Amino acid sequence: MMAASFFWTVHLTRSQLTELGLTRIERPEGTWLILDPSKTRLRTCTMGGQQVTCIRIERD
C-alpha cells in the first residue's frame, strides 16, 4: 500500500510540474528544475522587502 501511494504521489507531482512548464531531474549532486521557456520566466521579485528569484508561470 505504501509503495502504491508513493508511486501515485510521484506521478501526480511530475505531471503537475510539467503542466506548469517545469521538468524535475534527480541527480546524485541534487535536484534540478528545468524551465520551459514557452511557459515560464525566471524573474527577480520583491517579497517582504527582500529581492528574491522567482518563477513566473505564463498564462495561455
Side-chain angles (χ1 to χ4, degrees), residues 12-56:
L12 285 178
T13 301
R14 285 189 182 161
S15 63
Q16 288 173 342
L17 286 175
T18 302
E19 283 182 31
L20 294 174
L22 302 169
T23 302
R24 180 180 173 168
I25 299 175
E26 296 287 337
R27 300 282 183 175
E29 68 275 8
T31 302
W32 294 83
L33 284 177
I34 309 300
L35 306 179
D36 178 346
S38 69
K39 295 182 180 180
T40 57
R41 302 281 184 263
L42 192 59
R43 300 279 191 228
T44 301
C45 305
T46 303
M47 293 192 176
Q50 298 278 333
Q51 293 280 332
V52 296
T53 303
C54 55
I55 299 171
R56 178 178 174 177

